[in-house]
Amino acid sequence: MEHTDPTDISLEVAASTFAALGSEQRLSVLRCLVRAGHEGLSIGELGKRTGVTGSTLTHHMKILAQAGLVTQEKQGRSIICAAIAYDAVRDLSTFLLRECCADVAKKCKEHDHG
């Protein structure tokens, strides 16, 4: 999922990306990779940190990669996984919040999200 303007996200793209995040284990995997930064983690270390291992982790990584949220790169004998879509995740948040309080006559002051 590649976007430069969060207002360009279609409902279909947003739904597809949210669907990829619609599993506690996938969300845990993505959060772990975000915490690891751009260098990422080996598939083994990712499994240890999240408690998701083997074919289950492979399955979840495939779904996250198809959504454009993570990458997997072979480095020697290791597979390095990394979160790549920091802007896309931020854009999803903007997609949800950009019309906040749009139907309210009085401007919302309880929260500020840009």
Side-chain angles (χ1 to χ4, degrees), residues 4-55:
T4 55
D5 181 355
T7 61
D8 286 345
I9 298 176
S10 70
L11 190 59
E12 180 181 349
V13 169
S16 173
T17 307
F18 278 121
L21 295 172
S23 153
E24 287 180 26
Q25 289 184 328
R26 283 194 294 275
L27 195 53
S28 174
V29 166
L30 183 61
R31 285 182 70 197
C32 187
L33 290 174
V34 167
R35 289 176 59 97
H38 293 287
E39 293 182 17
L41 297 168
S42 70
I43 195 87
E45 183 61 25
L46 180 59
K48 285 180 196 171
R49 291 186 186 189
T50 61
V52 182
T53 58
S55 62

Side-chain angles (χ1 to χ4, degrees), residues 37-114:
H38 293 287
E39 293 182 17
L41 297 168
S42 70
I43 195 87
E45 183 61 25
L46 180 59
K48 285 180 196 171
R49 291 186 186 189
T50 61
V52 182
T53 58
S55 62
T56 302
L57 181 55
T58 301
H59 168 75
H60 289 312
M61 285 300 298
K62 180 179 178 183
I63 291 170
L64 292 169
Q66 287 174 338
L69 297 169
V70 301
T71 59
Q72 296 182 81
E73 181 181 317
K74 190 160 177 75
Q75 290 183 0
R77 297 178 66 189
S78 297
I79 296 174
I80 304 299
C81 305
I84 58 165
Y86 297 98
D87 290 339
V89 173
R90 189 177 305 111
D91 291 351
L92 285 172
S93 174
T94 301
F95 171 84
L96 286 176
L97 297 173
R98 76 171 175 236
E99 294 184 24
C100 180
C101 305
D103 294 336
V104 177
K106 192 174 182 182
K107 184 164 172 80
C108 295
K109 294 182 181 181
E110 295 86 36
H111 53 271
D112 180 30
H113 42 72

